[in-house]
């Protein structure tokens, strides 16, 4: 399977996250360097701030995605699905 078909398949965007993170790090480094050199200081400061926040948001997304995937795999290997446990909880409330 080619790289393009993997990216275009459902859920394939996750493969691009390391590349996106690298590009945004380069953007952050470039804007920070331009700020320190005195080129359009306020603009570069704002762009550096936005690039840093974007890196943080991507890290947050990756962490939440990995947490969701581990919960999903733990739930499927546990035997009972969440709908089964919810039904059992409803029966316990009515008893």
């Amino acid at each position: 399977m080619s790289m393009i078909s993997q990216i275009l398949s459902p859920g394939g965007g996750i493969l691009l996250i390391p590349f996106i993170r690298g590009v945004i790090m380069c953007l952050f480094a470039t804007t920070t360097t331009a700020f320190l050199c005195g080129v359009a200081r306020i603009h570069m400061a704002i762009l550096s701030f936005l690039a840093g926040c974007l890196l943080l948001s991507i890290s947050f997304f990756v962490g939440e995605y990995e947490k969701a995937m581990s919960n999903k795999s733990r739930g499927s290997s546990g035997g009972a699905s969440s709908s089964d446990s919810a039904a059992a909880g409803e029966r316990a409330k009515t008893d």
Side-chain angles (χ1 to χ4, degrees):
M1 184 177 260
S2 72
M3 181 69 168
I4 300 296
S5 61
Q6 287 180 346
I7 291 171
L8 295 176
S9 67
I14 299 299
L15 298 172
L16 291 176
I17 288 182
F19 174 74
I20 293 169
R21 190 178 280 165
V23 169
I24 295 171
M25 283 182 196
C26 289
L27 173 67
F28 181 75
T30 302
T31 55
T32 302
T33 303
F35 172 76
L36 294 175
C37 290
V39 178
R41 288 183 75 89
I42 190 68
H43 294 88
M44 293 303 132
I46 292 170
L47 286 173
S48 296
F49 173 76
L50 291 174
C53 290
L54 188 55
L55 280 171
L56 288 174
S57 68
I58 288 173
S59 297
F60 174 76
F61 168 76
V62 169
E64 291 297 313
Y65 177 78
E66 288 172 353
K67 190 185 315 179
M69 294 309 287
S70 68
N71 286 341
K72 183 178 178 182
S73 66
R74 192 173 347 139
S76 65
S77 66
S81 67
S82 60
S83 61
D84 293 340
S85 60
E90 287 298 320
R91 279 180 271 162
K93 288 180 185 176
T94 58
D95 288 343

